[in-house]
Amino acid sequence: MAHCKSEQDDWLLAHLKYLLFIFNFFFWVGGAAVMAVGIWTLVEKSGYLSILASSTFAASAYILIFVGGLVMTTGFLGFGAIIREQKSCLSTYFCLLLVIFLVELVAGVLAHVYYQRLSDELKWHLNSTLTEHYGQPRAAEITASVDRLQQDFKCCGSNSSADWQHSAYILSQEALGRQVPDSCCKTVVARCGQRAHPSNIYKVEGGCMAKLEQFVADHLLLMGAVGIGVACLQICGMVLTCCLHRRLQQQFY
């Protein structure tokens, strides 16, 4: 006659539930961390995005926000599936873990690939942005981004302050005799860019190019590491989910 083992007698089932519950808690916290990294990148560092030629950096952040929200939602489903011991919910939970695992791997690989081509893109695009688009009537966002970049990173020009000598803005009458934009100045005051002396403006080896490259590289590696780290953690969760699902099937015979 078919009968069901009690949970008290099936110590393996109880331990699997506890382990999966602990995993799900850290999984949910990981999802919140993934979402936080994505939101922080877009909110705090969005001023630099218009300088980049590609939207891959922003896309990676949006992917992390989406995945983080999906992870947190899946975490709530996991808690319910574990407590209620429903095989159908566990199956759905496993499928969602697998989907999230694949999406996070894609995000991690995307960040790694973009990191490899980052230097060439910045060298090509940043210099043209400074010389052709800065200070132009229809490029207010780019102008603000470059000004913020130079002030935040304490740099001037793409490779050096001499890059501004070829800028359409500096060569125009709107510059009012400035040799560099005011944002190059150590202390920003009106028309301070008229004096391009090292005591007045930032003179940094490698210019803003090196600093921006390092900034984006660090953030892409952070996003990639977080995505791949949570993805690897999910392997344990999928294994535990399969074990619990199988144990629940063997519970009845």
Side-chain angles (χ1 to χ4, degrees):
M1 184 176 69
H3 65 279
C4 176
K5 293 183 178 180
S6 65
E7 184 177 323
Q8 291 77 9
D9 295 333
D10 193 348
W11 62 271
L12 181 58
L13 176 62
H15 280 73
L16 281 174
K17 286 179 61 178
Y18 292 143
L19 286 174
L20 190 56
F21 194 90
I22 293 173
F23 157 80
N24 198 66
F25 171 76
F26 285 108
F27 179 62
W28 188 90
V29 172
V34 168
M35 178 180 284
V37 170
I39 293 175
W40 175 72
T41 300
L42 289 178
V43 173
E44 293 295 325
K45 308 301 177 181
S46 59
Y48 306 137
L49 297 181
S50 60
I51 302 176
L52 302 177
S54 173
S55 60
T56 309
F57 183 73
S60 299
Y62 282 118
I63 289 175
L64 287 182
I65 294 174
F66 169 75
V67 170
L70 186 58
V71 164
M72 296 178 71
T73 302
T74 303
F76 286 120
L77 175 63
F79 286 128
I82 296 168
I83 294 173
R84 300 173 66 178
E85 297 185 7
Q86 289 186 341
K87 291 183 289 184
S88 59
C89 288
L90 284 174
S91 298
T92 303
Y93 179 61
F94 175 84
C95 291
L96 288 174
L97 284 179
L98 181 60
V99 170
I100 296 171
F101 174 79
L102 296 175
V103 172
E104 286 174 337
L105 280 183
V106 170
V109 171
L110 183 65
H112 177 73
V113 170
Y114 187 59
Y115 171 72
Q116 300 301 315
R117 46 184 266 234
L118 174 65
S119 180
D120 292 337
E121 176 180 307
L122 286 179
K123 289 177 182 177
W124 175 263
H125 189 70
L126 183 59
N127 190 57
S128 65
T129 297
L130 268 58
T131 57
E132 299 175 12
H133 303 293
Y134 181 88
Q136 301 307 304
R138 298 182 180 180
E141 184 179 357
I142 291 178
T143 300
S145 295
V146 172
D147 285 339
R148 180 182 174 184
L149 172 71
Q150 294 190 139
Q151 279 295 298
D152 288 353
F153 291 152
K154 303 183 187 309
C155 59
C156 183
S158 178
N159 296 292
S160 70
S161 59
D163 294 333
W164 286 108
Q165 295 177 5
H166 309 288
S167 169
Y169 167 72
I170 295 299
L171 296 175
S172 68
Q173 295 181 349
E174 296 179 1
L176 301 177
R178 292 180 177 87
Q179 298 182 51
V180 294
D182 292 344
S183 57
C184 282
C185 299
K186 296 178 180 179
T187 302
V188 179
V189 295
R191 301 186 186 182
C192 62
Q194 292 177 341
R195 181 169 173 265
H197 190 272
S199 63
N200 184 50
I201 67 171
Y202 294 112
K203 295 275 190 178
V204 181
E205 183 178 354
C208 295
M209 175 74 68
K211 298 231 176 178
L212 180 60
E213 181 180 2
Q214 188 60 48
F215 162 79
V216 178
D218 289 344
H219 280 73
L220 286 174
L221 289 176
L222 173 63
M223 288 189 286
V226 170
I228 293 176
V230 175
C232 292
L233 179 64
Q234 287 174 237
I235 296 176
C236 298
M238 288 187 284
V239 171
L240 289 173
T241 302
C242 287
C243 292
L244 180 58
H245 187 277
R246 183 177 180 183
R247 195 65 185 177
L248 288 174
Q249 285 183 322
Q250 295 176 347
Q251 194 178 25
F252 294 88
Y253 63 90

